[in-house]
Amino acid sequence: MSERNTQTGAPAQRLRRHARPLAAGAMLLTLAATAAAGYLSGQRHATPADTFAAVQAGHLARLDRSAQPGHVVFLGSSTFQALDTAAITPTALNLSIGGDTTADLLDRARSYRSLASATAVWLNIGFNDMMQRCASPRGSLPQVFDLVPAGTPLFVLAIQNVSAERLLQRCDGRLSALIDTYNGELATACAARPACQFVPHPANAHLGGDRHASWIESDGIHLSPTGYAAL
């Protein structure tokens, strides 16, 4: 390369070197501005948990559409999702998603065709409402119960209580009391509906004692194999 070309090429190379970090910085500023605009406008961007829940809801919607009539349908969140429903009845159809709130369940289950032909329905929902909002979802109970056709046997399982040692600070220490109150509301609502039976949760009678660790996992929330065997 001639001396002239070498001299003119050096500034161009320096410009290219400086342009790369400038472009990266501009991109970061654009992303930050986009995120800030979304935040200020009240928009909530999807999280991995949101995406996972949406994918699971899609799978269950396809399962519902392909299921034959005459199943015992299980609706709920993590307690039912991890339950060996086939050990209860060979016609079980488990349409539960861990992490669901009553609003989540209502949103996805309103279109379930299997509920119209179900021989019975098991329901366990509301725990995540209290975990997330520290409030009972009792206002949603009529809508949740209405998912099940009148006359179809409905079994409502109580919400299992939690380990006070692990979740003592949750809801300013009121979570356990909230769950107890909500279970009473479930029992009352079920008693007012024909063909509905409220089922106390077997783990609740054993929490807080020496046997607690054998009924609930170390997270203080989910049932252990012993708890599931009792359930």
Side-chain angles (χ1 to χ4, degrees), residues 7 21 23 46 70 85 87 96 100 102 111 139 152 163 180 188 201 216 229 231:
Q7 292 173 348
T85 55
S96 304
D100 256 10
T102 53
S111 61
T152 299
S163 165
D180 287 339
T188 299
H201 202 294
I216 301 290
L231 181 58

Side-chain angles (χ1 to χ4, degrees), residues 63-87:
L63 175 60
D64 168 73
R65 292 194 298 268
S66 66
Q68 296 298 308
H71 284 283
V72 175
V73 177
F74 289 77
L75 294 177
S77 52
S78 58
T79 294
F80 273 179
Q81 185 179 19
L83 177 65
D84 182 7
T85 55

Side-chain angles (χ1 to χ4, degrees), residues 81-166:
Q81 185 179 19
L83 177 65
D84 182 7
T85 55
I88 299 171
T89 170
T91 61
L93 180 64
N94 195 346
L95 299 175
S96 304
I97 298 180
D100 256 10
T101 63
T102 53
D104 296 328
L105 180 64
L106 284 168
D107 184 57
R108 63 185 177 86
R110 283 193 176 104
S111 61
Y112 283 171
R113 302 187 308 176
S114 56
L115 291 172
S117 64
T119 58
V121 175
W122 277 85
L123 178 68
N124 179 253
I125 198 70
F127 177 81
N128 292 304
D129 294 77
M130 289 177 281
M131 282 287 288
Q132 295 176 19
R133 299 188 295 108
C134 295
S136 166
R138 60 179 174 274
S140 302
L141 286 180
Q143 300 173 69
V144 174
F145 280 24
D146 284 347
L147 292 171
V148 183
T152 299
L154 173 62
F155 298 90
V156 179
L157 176 66
I159 302 300
Q160 69 204 48
N161 219 311
V162 296
S163 165
E165 293 81 4
R166 288 281 295 174

Side-chain angles (χ1 to χ4, degrees), residues 26-41 43 45:
M27 181 175 291
L28 288 173
L29 286 173
T30 300
L31 291 173
T34 302
Y39 176 80
L40 292 174
S41 65
Q43 295 177 353
H45 296 283

